[in-house]
Amino acid sequence: VTTTAWAAAGAGAFGMLVLALLVRWRTRRSLVRRLSSVGARLDGGQAGGGGSLDDAITRLERAAEVSGEQSYELRARVGRLALALDVLQQGVMICDEDGEIRYRNAPAEAFTGGRHGEAIAHQATSEALSTALAGQPVSRGVDLFGPPRRNLRLSAFPLHDEHRTIGAVVVVEDISEGRRLEAVRRDFVANVSHELKTPVGALALLAETLADEEDQAVTQRLSRRMQIEAARVGRIIEDLLDLSRLEAEESPVREPVTLHLIVAEAVEEVRPSAEQRSIELHVASISGRLQVLGDRRQLVSAVFNLLENAVKYSERGASIEIECETNGREVAVSVCDHGIGVPTTDLERIFERFYRVDRSRGRDTGGTGLGLAIVRHVATNHGGRIDVDSREGEGSTFTLRLPAPGGLVALPPTG
Ligand SMILES: Nc1ncnc2c1ncn2[C@@H]1O[C@H](COP(=O)(O)OP(=O)(O)O)[C@@H](O)[C@H]1O
Ligand SMILES: [Mg+2]
């Protein structure tokens, strides 16, 4: 009994062992099959049915290595693209096929904030992206009322692969500066035409009257009037030429010029009109050593324009003080009058071309409205600036500041 029992037990145990081995072998087979199928999927090859566990693991290792390299290369490519897009001035946003934003470059971040103008831009870009997703390219302008006021141009396009639309891209461009320059140019042409129209019209009328006039005294008066109008046209043209020369000058002359000579020359030029109105010019004694680097003719014309205004906008018998000083970094020439002054609301605008506080009076004083525009241009051409301090009814001080020669190594580009 015992022997038979032992034999039966032995056979049972053996059976179990065989069964366990069989199960293990099948599990292993299926494992190998699964491993090689993963490997095949990774390296894009054919799934091989057979092979040992070793083969399958080797294949898997090779595939992992290749796919690691590929994903590194892919990440590098995406990174390069993103960096390149960040350099652009335009904002770029890309959405997927569901309209979800998947990418925006650094400039585009500016359009997604919470401020009012940005909210409008955000809304407009979202709309452009959905229209593009529907297959319709978009090109439209968006005006943000600021401040600062901005004009944007949006262009959106659908992104198609071979089979379907996989997303859309929108490009946002800030065209404010271009718009502003366009408006400045338009205004300028309109202003020039308007300014010339008045004296030229007067000339035509005077000439017509002169033709039928026989009284000697009247003809003389008419011809004097004609000379005045012709001189006015001449002054406008002269100032316009000065301005365009200032703008065209790409590398202005840079020579050391002595400040007191510039001031003396400008004072001599303005003296006749000052004397005519009994206006005294007081020039504070200027150190002969004060120098600036620049174009003598331009600098004289800037100081002359300041002096001419001081004389023109002062009462008869008033006085004007001219001073020069330096703090080592810059040199300042100031022209101080006790005339009518400039209302605070006009202070910012008097440097614009043709801007006059009182247009009708501008005609009487014979001004072209270009003098201060010329002064500002000369100042920026020399890397300096023009400041004004003025009180209506009390007087004005205009100060032309220029870099002192020591600090004048690198000049900003003229513009
Ligand atoms: N010293 C000043 N005092 C008062 N107003 C001034 C003075 N300088 C300039 N302005 C104002 O600024 C305007 C622009 O000056 P400017 O460009 O020289 O033109 P304008 O030919 O009229 O003198 C003038 O029309 C005047 O209204
Ligand atoms: Mg003037």
Side-chain angles (χ1 to χ4, degrees):
V1 173
T2 331
T3 321
T4 328
W6 274 110
F14 179 72
M16 291 291 281
L17 189 70
V18 167
L19 197 68
L21 280 174
L22 195 69
V23 167
R24 242 187 98 183
W25 179 75
R26 290 194 50 176
T27 312
R28 195 182 148 104
R29 290 269 320 157
S30 112
L31 196 67
V32 169
R33 219 178 301 120
R34 279 167 62 197
L35 280 179
S36 40
S37 137
V38 170
R41 256 185 290 152
L42 275 177
D43 70 11
Q46 284 287 315
S52 65
L53 185 60
D54 242 13
D55 290 343
I57 287 177
T58 309
R59 187 171 191 184
L60 202 58
E61 279 169 352
R62 213 179 41 236
E65 201 177 303
V66 169
S67 109
E69 276 166 16
Q70 280 172 349
S71 92
Y72 172 80
E73 177 53 30
L74 202 66
R75 254 179 312 174
R77 254 158 69 182
V78 170
R80 266 197 298 271
L81 262 176
L83 286 173
L85 287 173
D86 279 348
V87 176
L88 294 182
Q89 303 222 308
Q90 292 95 334
V92 177
M93 286 186 234
I94 299 171
C95 70
D96 63 16
E97 61 268 43
D98 299 320
E100 187 97 16
I101 301 280
R102 290 296 179 182
Y103 170 79
R104 59 169 64 91
N105 68 349
E109 302 282 352
F111 305 115
T112 55
R115 277 196 286 139
H116 180 63
E118 290 163 353
I120 291 177
H122 185 59
Q123 165 90 18
T125 48
S126 308
E127 280 168 16
L129 281 173
S130 351
T131 311
L133 265 185
Q136 187 69 44
V138 178
S139 173
R140 60 168 290 210
V142 178
D143 295 329
L144 308 183
F145 294 100
R149 223 190 142 93
R150 283 196 298 173
N151 311 102
L152 306 180
R153 169 140 293 282
L154 305 190
S155 319
F157 308 92
L159 300 173
H160 294 295
D161 69 1
E162 283 152 40
H163 314 289
R164 61 197 183 99
T165 303
I166 54 168
V169 59
V170 62
V171 178
V172 187
E173 199 175 350
D174 190 335
I175 55 167
S176 318
E177 185 57 13
R179 280 279 182 85
R180 195 187 64 78
L181 289 177
E182 216 174 277
V184 166
R185 193 192 55 78
R186 252 196 330 260
D187 282 1
F188 181 65
V189 172
N191 278 330
V192 170
S193 317
H194 181 79
E195 294 290 332
L196 288 175
K197 212 173 125 189
T198 317
V200 168
L203 274 174
L205 210 65
L206 287 165
E208 204 179 304
T209 322
L210 196 63
D212 302 330
E213 189 55 60
E214 279 165 16
D215 185 337
Q216 180 89 32
V218 178
T219 53
Q220 265 179 13
R221 216 179 50 237
L222 290 175
S223 87
R224 248 197 319 279
R225 288 279 307 149
M226 284 181 80
Q227 282 168 18
I228 292 173
E229 294 299 340
R232 178 166 176 74
V233 176
R235 260 199 316 276
I236 295 175
I237 292 173
E238 202 54 50
D239 279 356
L240 285 172
L241 285 174
D242 267 358
L243 260 181
S244 81
R245 262 196 297 269
L246 282 171
E247 279 176 343
E249 212 134 293
E250 297 217 328
S251 49
V253 188
R254 290 277 174 259
E255 54 183 10
V257 279
T258 312
L259 217 51
H260 83 258
L261 292 181
I262 290 176
V263 171
E265 207 174 324
V267 165
E268 282 325 301
E269 255 181 77
V270 85
R271 201 179 287 286
S273 50
E275 275 172 0
Q276 215 173 38
R277 313 194 56 218
S278 316
I279 289 175
E280 280 184 48
L281 302 168
H282 297 286
V283 184
S285 73
I286 300 166
S287 155
R289 288 209 315 270
L290 270 189
Q291 284 195 326
V292 288
L293 286 184
D295 181 325
R296 193 189 52 84
R297 215 179 48 82
Q298 283 188 16
L299 293 170
V300 170
S301 125
V303 177
F304 167 75
N305 271 299
L306 293 179
L307 287 173
E308 188 193 37
N309 284 347
V311 168
K312 221 160 52 176
Y313 302 109
S314 291
E315 297 294 324
R316 281 188 74 86
S319 71
I320 293 167
E321 292 89 42
I322 302 126
E323 259 180 51
C324 297
E325 50 186 18
T326 182
N327 58 7
R329 274 178 299 109
E330 54 180 28
V331 174
V333 183
S334 57
V335 174
C336 175
D337 68 55
H338 310 280
I340 59 172
V342 183
T344 319
T345 45
D346 294 293
L347 268 183
E348 262 185 43
R349 302 203 56 193
I350 54 174
F351 296 97
E352 291 173 17
R353 293 159 181 194
F354 296 116
Y355 190 84
R356 303 189 197 99
V357 172
D358 184 344
R359 285 202 156 239
S360 53
R361 199 184 48 211
R363 294 259 147 65
D364 302 339
T365 54
T368 59
L370 293 170
L372 287 180
I374 291 175
V375 176
R376 186 170 63 175
H377 237 297
V378 171
T380 47
N381 261 11
H382 284 78
R385 65 179 196 281
I386 173 83
D387 290 336
V388 55
D389 181 14
S390 184
R391 219 148 296 193
E392 203 175 358
E394 288 180 28
S396 324
T397 302
F398 285 82
T399 309
L400 176 66
R401 296 180 201 280
L402 302 166
L408 214 125
V409 184
L411 277 168
T414 58

